């Protein structure tokens, strides 16, 4: 035991009130011991109130726990000690609690302790160290602010586990998983196995509760197994965290944080630390509790400084209020002198009353003597020094003052000159391998250009590794695959590909802001052009409409025939020259009626025209009908002949789900399949069930395979719109069907809590604002690796007609002409037969004669005709009048100009036309002795 009594010569003859205080210190608590000595001297020299007639003098004694005997505490109490400063928690501290309670000597604690059972020190002791539950709550609030959902907690002993209990309450939340591991500090080699286990388990957020002397060892072992890099976050609960030498770990890239009580930005703290440093510079025997190269203050030294300052003010308050006998003897032994010190509780109450702004902030004890009203600085390790990023207040919680901490860790500067490992999926146009002439393999594509631009902005380098499976990946429970697995296991720093941002992926990895927006759509083969149709001209109307047109044509023709026969005004004298003729003729016979209506329908007209109101009305409505029908036909005909109409069997996802002929599928691993598997919409659930149960399987391993199956027919490929647009731009036989089924985006994937996320996102936003990403898209979708760009956005245009478009019209003309020829032959044969029956020649002779007569290429034709007498002719059914001239030498009755001659006689003011003989051969039967030979027919050929 070392005792030191300080006599103040400056007091002169003025009597002082001596107060004996004893401090008990462990061998590793040197800073607190020095602070105890220095502060007592400082208080005696500087802090005596000027209005006091009797100054207070602190007579302190330093006791080292390792050199104490069993009755040291009691001997010091019997020597007159009225205040005890306890050591660190242990056997001695527990013994001093019992003694101080028995003799009512105040016990002041400045160390972290965990009270047992009932409040043992009720009324006789106070603690300046913050209550352990309040400290635990501070760390819990910080973890909640960071949003940790999965982390590991390392502790040394059971006390450490108790100190972490407030943090452990987070595990009751359904989305928070906490892994507990105990540290064996006696075996530092076990640290390696521990960090390897945590690394393999994907535990990259680690909260550590240990003694300050173990922090450096833990970080050193973590560095040996590469568990101290950009992806790891170590948070230490020890409030002496700031005095550790972190210089070996400042450039590791890891996020190392903790809390401290001493705010070195506080003017009071700055002043005290300056005085300690000046004392250290003046003398090598200085009692300064801070080292020469030390920039941080240990919590023990700071709390001891504050405790003595508060004690001095409490003593001053107590002696002002009452007379205190500091000389009264107190003994631990039972007997006459075993009465407690009656002013002990009063002094404790005075300690609870005092409020003081010290090195550790505002000090105000509660009714139990605990300190709960306090603030903590949140600090993190950065280059060259610890950096304050925020504060925790017992009422207001976490307040971050460093803006970079609001979104993520501000470690983006580690990207400069950093070489990142990049994983990608080789799929055009996002990324693909190109072999140069010298055999060197390089990577090109939309995502590679994006990566190059981002790397130029942020100043990092990269190495590309293709994903062996070629899958983008997802996680199903604990099992992950593809690029997602690479990021979860921290085998890659970035995943740069056409990787969609989805909820399931966001649960296990991080993404930058999307660099391209897209959605799911359908890739399908364009329907084949319909085969050429000879009767394409019938397409403007349906078969039903053509049937109605034919029916109306027949009905109108028959009605015209009937109405014309009913009305008296459609009957005429066929021989106007014969006014006494009683026979009448109607021009609208059934054949003529059909001819009249078909002429109007074909817009050609005919030599027949109605004469009366009834028939003209029918003709008018028929002409109006034909006007509308022909106009509609003409308008529709242009489109049908110039634009090929191809019927698409599907037009949307609903069409796909409602049929069974066309199969449809997605990539076997990716966001598109996950969309259908996780969707709650009835349509997409139905489609997902159909795809899962389809035989053969409809899922493909790559988009190339998907395109191949689409081209084979009877298959629709569900993919992202960017993939579909790329395929349809290069294969004009493909098309996009329907609208996008959802809306999402591509992003760069990173491991969880990657320090690069925000810097990469900022670079992406910069490129988007410049239009650089749109230019990259146009380059790889519309310009590169394309022979002919298929612009599927254009509407079908007209084109020149080909024979196959109008061939049916030619067939119709040829068929009609042929039919007319056949009918003419039939009429020719029938006429020859009729002549042969009335004459003496045979049928074949007449056919030969008539054929010879018909095929002569002369303007005039001569045929032997026997002319009957006028009386006989008048009886003929045709009522034809033949007016014959004497024959010339050729035997023909001709006029002067060689034309036919016709006599016109005016009878009752009317012209009587001379009709040509329609049947020359009938004259042979009229009077055998009146035969006229060589009568020349004046009809022109």
């Amino acid at each position: 035991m070392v005792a030191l009594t300080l006599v103040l010569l400056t007091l002169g003859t003025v009597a002082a009130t001596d107060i004996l205080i004893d401090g008990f210190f462990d061998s590793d608590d040197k800073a607190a011991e020095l602070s105890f000595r220095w502060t007592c001297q400082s208080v005696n020299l500087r802090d005596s109130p000027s209005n006091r007639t009797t100054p207070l003098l602190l007579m302190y004694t330093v006791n080292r726990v390792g050199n104490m005997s069993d009755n040291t505490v009691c001997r010091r109490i019997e020597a007159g000690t009225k205040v005890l400063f306890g050591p660190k928690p242990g056997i001695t501290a527990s013994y001093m609690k019992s003694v101080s309670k028995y003799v009512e000597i105040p016990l002041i604690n400045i160390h972290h302790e965990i009270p047992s059972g009932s409040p043992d020190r009720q009324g006789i002791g106070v603690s300046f160290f913050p209550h352990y539950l309040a400290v635990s709550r501070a760390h819990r609030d910080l973890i909640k602010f960071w949003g940790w959902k999965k982390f590991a907690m390392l502790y040394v002993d059971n006390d450490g586990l108790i100190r972490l209990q407030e943090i452990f309450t987070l595990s009751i939340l359904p989305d928070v998983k906490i892994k507990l591991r105990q540290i064996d500090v006696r075996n530092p080699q076990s640290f390696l196995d521990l960090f390897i286990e945590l690394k393999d388990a994907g535990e990259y957020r680690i909260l550590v509760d240990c003694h300050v002397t173990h922090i450096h060892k833990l970080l050193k072992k973590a560095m040996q197994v590469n568990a101290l890099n950009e992806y790891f976050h170590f948070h230490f609960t020890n409030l002496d965290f700031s005095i550790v030498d972190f210089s070996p770990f400042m450039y590791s890239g890891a996020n190392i944080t903790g809390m401290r009580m001493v705010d070195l930005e506080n003017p009071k703290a700055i002043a005290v630390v300056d005085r300690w440093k000046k004392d250290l510079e003046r003398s090598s025997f200085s009692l300064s509790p801070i080292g020469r190269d030390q920039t941080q203050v240990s919590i023990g030294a700071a709390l001891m400084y504050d405790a003595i300052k508060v004690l001095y003010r409490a003593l001053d308050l107590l002696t002002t209020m009452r007379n205190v006998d500091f000389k009264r003897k107190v003994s631990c032994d039972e007997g006459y002198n075993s009465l407690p010190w009656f002013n002990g509780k009063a002094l404790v109450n005075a300690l609870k009353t005092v409020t003081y702004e010290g090195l550790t902030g505002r000090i105000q004890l509660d009714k139990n003597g605990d300190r709960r009203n306090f603030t903590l600085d949140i600090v993190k390790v950065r280059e060259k020094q610890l950096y304050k990023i925020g504060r925790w207040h017992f009422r207001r919680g976490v307040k971050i003052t460093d803006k970079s901490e609001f979104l993520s860790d501000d470690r983006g500067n580690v990207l400069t000159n950093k070489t990142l490992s990049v994983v990608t999926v080789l799929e055009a146009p996002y990324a693909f391998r190109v072999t140069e002439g010298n055999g060197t393999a390089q990577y090109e594509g939309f995502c590679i250009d994006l990566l190059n631009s981002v790397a130029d902005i942020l100043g990092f380098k990269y190495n590309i590794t293709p994903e062996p499976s070629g899958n983008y990946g997802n996680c199903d429970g604990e099992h992950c695959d593809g690029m997602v697995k690479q990021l979860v296991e921290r085998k890659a720093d970035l995943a740069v590909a056409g990787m969609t941002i989805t909820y399931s992926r966001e649960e296990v990895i991080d993404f930058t802001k999307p660099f391209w927006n897209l959605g799911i759509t359908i890739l399908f083969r364009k329907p084949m052009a319909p085969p050429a149709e000879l009767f394409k001209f019938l397409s403007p109307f349906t078969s039903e409409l053509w049937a109605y047109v034919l029916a109306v044509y027949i009905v109108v023709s028959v009605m015209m025939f009937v109405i014309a026969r009913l009305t008296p005004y459609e009957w005429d004298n066929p021989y106007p020259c014969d006014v006494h003729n009683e026979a009448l003729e109607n021009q609208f016979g059934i054949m003529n009626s059909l001819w009249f209506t078909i002429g109007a329908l074909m817009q050609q007209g005919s030599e027949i025209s109605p004469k009366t109101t009834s028939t003209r009305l029918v003709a008018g409505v028929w002409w109006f009908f034909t006007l509308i029908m022909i106009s509609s036909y003409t308008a529709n005909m242009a489109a049908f002949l110039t634009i090929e109409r191809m019927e698409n069997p599907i037009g949307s996802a609903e069409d796909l789900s409602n049929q069974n002929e066309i199969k449809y599928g997605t990539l076997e691993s990716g966001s598109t399949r996950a969309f259908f598997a996780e969707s709650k919409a009835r349509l997409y659930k139905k489609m997902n069930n159909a795809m899962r149960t389809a035989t053969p399987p409809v899922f493909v391993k790559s988009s190339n395979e998907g395109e191949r199956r689409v081209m084979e027919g009877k298959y629709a490929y569900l993919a992202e719109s960017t993939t579909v647009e790329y395929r349809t731009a290069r294969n004009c036989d493909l098309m996009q069907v329907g609208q996008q089924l959802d809306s999402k985006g591509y992003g760069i994937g990173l491991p969880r809590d990657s320090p690069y996320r925000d810097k990469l996102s900022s670079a992406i936003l910069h490129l988007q604002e410049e239009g650089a990403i749109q230019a990259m898209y146009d380059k790889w979708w519309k310009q590169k690796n394309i022979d002919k760009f298929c612009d599927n956005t254009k509407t079908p245009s007209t084109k020149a007609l080909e024979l196959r478009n109008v061939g049916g019209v030619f067939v119709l003309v040829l068929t009609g002409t042929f039919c007319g020829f056949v009918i003419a032959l039939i009429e020719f044969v029938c006429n020859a037969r009729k002549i042969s029956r009335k004459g003496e020649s045979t049928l074949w002779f007449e056919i030969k004669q008539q054929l010879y007569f018909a095929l002569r290429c002369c303007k005039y034709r001569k045929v032997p005709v026997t002319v009957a007498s006028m009386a006989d002719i008048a009886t003929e059914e045709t009522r034809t009048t033949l007016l014959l001239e004497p024959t010339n030498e050729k035997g023909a009755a001709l006029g002067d100009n060689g034309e036919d001659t016709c006599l016109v006689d005016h009878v009752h003011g009317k012209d009587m036309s001379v009709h040509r003989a329609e049947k020359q051969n009938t004259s042979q039967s009229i009077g055998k002795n009146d035969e006229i030979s060589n009568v020349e027919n004046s009809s022109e050929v």
Side-chain angles (χ1 to χ4, degrees), residues 781-819:
W781 262 257
K782 301 178 181 180
Q783 300 172 10
K784 295 285 287 186
N785 303 327
I786 184 170
D787 297 329
K788 176 185 177 183
F789 179 72
C790 304
D791 192 353
N792 296 286
T793 61
K794 290 184 178 179
T795 57
S797 58
T798 60
K799 60 179 182 178
L801 293 178
E802 299 176 1
L803 178 61
R804 64 187 181 92
N805 301 118
V806 293
V809 179
F810 288 88
V811 173
L812 183 63
V813 170
L814 294 177
T815 302
T817 304
F818 177 74
C819 291

Side-chain angles (χ1 to χ4, degrees), residues 743-759:
S743 180
K744 49 195 173 184
Y746 284 150
I748 297 177
L750 307 97
R752 197 72 171 169
D753 302 319
S754 173
Y756 313 132
R757 182 183 62 182
D758 291 335
K759 293 295 183 181

Side-chain angles (χ1 to χ4, degrees), residues 760-776:
L760 292 171
S761 295
S762 298
I764 288 172
L765 291 176
H766 176 71
L767 292 173
Q768 286 178 333
E769 291 175 357
E770 289 186 339
I773 296 182
Q774 181 64 50
M776 297 175 194

Side-chain angles (χ1 to χ4, degrees), residues 522 524 648-656 662 735-739:
I522 304 171
F524 195 62
N648 190 6
I650 59 172
S652 63
E654 289 84 354
D655 294 342
L656 271 181
I662 300 173
M735 67 176 181
Q736 176 179 325
V737 176
Q739 302 297 320

Side-chain angles (χ1 to χ4, degrees), residues 535-583:
F535 297 98
K536 186 74 173 180
F537 60 88
L538 296 177
S539 300
F541 289 169
T542 62
S543 300
E544 183 183 14
L545 183 57
W546 280 119
Y548 280 121
V549 171
L550 178 62
V552 170
Y553 161 70
I554 294 174
V555 169
V556 171
S557 299
V558 172
M559 291 304 298
M560 179 66 78
F561 168 73
V562 172
I563 293 172
R565 296 191 72 83
L566 291 176
T567 179
Y569 302 106
E570 287 292 347
W571 293 92
D572 293 318
N573 184 358
Y575 307 107
C577 297
D578 185 4
V579 295
H580 300 289
N581 180 30
E582 296 181 355

Side-chain angles (χ1 to χ4, degrees), residues 339-354:
L339 294 175
W341 185 42
F342 297 111
N343 294 303
K345 290 185 177 180
L347 179 56
V348 170
N349 289 334
L351 287 170
K352 297 176 183 178
T353 305
V354 174

